[in-house]
Amino acid sequence: MKIAAIAACFAALLFALALPGSARPHATPTPPPTPAPVADPAVTKIARQQFVQWQAGTVNKSLYADQIVPKLTDDMISSTSQRLGELGALTDTVYIGPWLNPDAPASTRGYIYQMRCTSGNIYLWLAIDAQGKIAWLTFKNRLDVENVTPQPS
């Protein structure tokens, strides 16, 4: 009798395990993390150098594209230098990602960096043209997400 009872329990267990609804659900696998964007060391060097030059108020205009040079007035450089100087010494440069500007020529590459300083941070938006000249450089207190990632089509 004991063997029959054990056999019946074993058969019931096998039957229960065979039912599709009784299977233990598996956890949803965690997706792999999105890799951080990789910075071009040469562009990062330009970003750091430009930030420090703008802080010091000594901008080398020969590094800029012809259409930008007239906008680099002494007053603009001086006032920008004063505001950037309030951030203190540069401590770190963090590459945020590419800057995708649909109005820029296809040969122009845009980059966004966070410039970390002893008394605050600021974002540097930098575009370099096909000739290796700086076609755009600006500083912003925040990111404009619509310019960092492409628009859905």
Side-chain angles (χ1 to χ4, degrees):
M1 193 58 115
K2 286 185 180 180
I3 294 178
I6 293 173
C9 286
F10 185 68
L13 180 62
L14 287 177
F15 180 73
L17 292 175
L19 292 175
S22 67
R24 192 173 94 196
H26 295 284
T28 305
T30 303
T34 304
V38 178
D40 178 340
V43 176
T44 300
K45 182 178 179 182
I46 292 169
R48 287 182 70 83
Q49 289 173 339
Q50 287 305 302
F51 181 79
V52 171
Q53 286 182 7
W54 277 91
Q55 265 194 323
T58 57
V59 176
N60 182 349
K61 295 178 183 180
S62 69
L63 300 176
Y64 287 79
D66 292 340
Q67 73 272 16
I68 300 299
V69 173
K71 298 175 184 177
L72 302 177
T73 65
D74 291 342
D75 286 342
M76 180 220 220
I77 293 170
S78 177
S79 64
T80 303
S81 171
Q82 180 180 359
R83 287 182 297 209
L84 292 177
E86 294 170 3
L87 296 172
L90 181 65
T91 59
D92 196 14
T93 303
V94 179
Y95 178 63
I96 301 300
W99 170 29
L100 305 173
N101 184 350
D103 299 328
S107 61
T108 301
R109 299 287 177 241
Y111 309 89
I112 302 171
Y113 287 87
Q114 183 183 50
M115 312 309 282
R116 295 181 179 174
C117 302
T118 56
S119 297
N121 303 327
I122 196 161
Y123 294 96
L124 182 149
W125 300 59
L126 171 71
I128 299 178
D129 66 16
Q131 290 75 38
K133 298 280 188 167
I134 298 169
W136 182 266
L137 186 134
T138 192
F139 302 98
K140 294 185 179 189
N141 290 329
R142 64 181 179 85
L143 286 177
D144 296 330
V145 177
E146 65 273 8
N147 292 331
V148 178
T149 56
Q151 296 288 333
S153 47

